Amino acid sequence: DNTLISEEKKCISKDQAEELAKILIGCSPDYQGNFWKFLKTQIKGLERLEEIPVSMYDRIKMGAKIQNEKYQRDLIEGEELAINE
């Protein structure tokens, strides 16, 4: 039966894509650019987050979360330095 999609080809849900988008918005512009470059080398023809395979989602999300937290920390520290000058 060809209607079954293999686990490797199955893409993430709309909710997962939206969750990932929210995380990415809080990442540095450099990371966002590198994120897309990396994905496009891994998944031929990728244009949208919804096209990310389920098998890659957890790893991608974790990496983005780490980068998001780092960037947000850096922004806060930068604001504190500016206030204290």
Side-chain angles (χ1 to χ4, degrees), residues 2-85:
N2 291 339
T3 59
L4 291 177
I5 300 170
S6 72
E7 190 62 32
E8 192 175 308
K9 301 265 189 213
K10 188 176 177 188
C11 295
I12 63 173
S13 69
K14 186 176 182 214
D15 288 344
Q16 287 173 312
E18 288 174 3
E19 182 180 11
L20 190 53
K22 288 177 186 171
I23 295 168
L24 287 169
I25 287 170
C27 294
S28 74
D30 283 346
Y31 179 79
Q32 291 180 37
N34 289 333
F35 174 87
W36 283 104
K37 280 182 197 166
F38 169 77
L39 277 184
K40 288 180 179 190
T41 64
Q42 299 297 306
I43 307 158
K44 209 175 202 119
L46 179 104
E47 294 296 325
R48 301 172 328 161
L49 292 174
E50 290 89 349
E51 297 169 346
I52 294 172
V54 169
S55 60
M56 294 177 70
Y57 178 71
D58 287 336
R59 186 169 46 104
I60 289 171
K61 180 181 164 189
M62 186 176 298
K65 268 183 134 169
I66 290 167
Q67 291 298 318
N68 174 299
E69 291 165 6
K70 180 184 181 309
Y71 186 60
Q72 295 305 312
R73 235 184 355 261
D74 291 349
L75 288 176
I76 291 167
E77 288 172 8
E79 288 175 7
E80 288 172 355
L81 286 175
I83 291 169
N84 292 329
E85 287 180 352

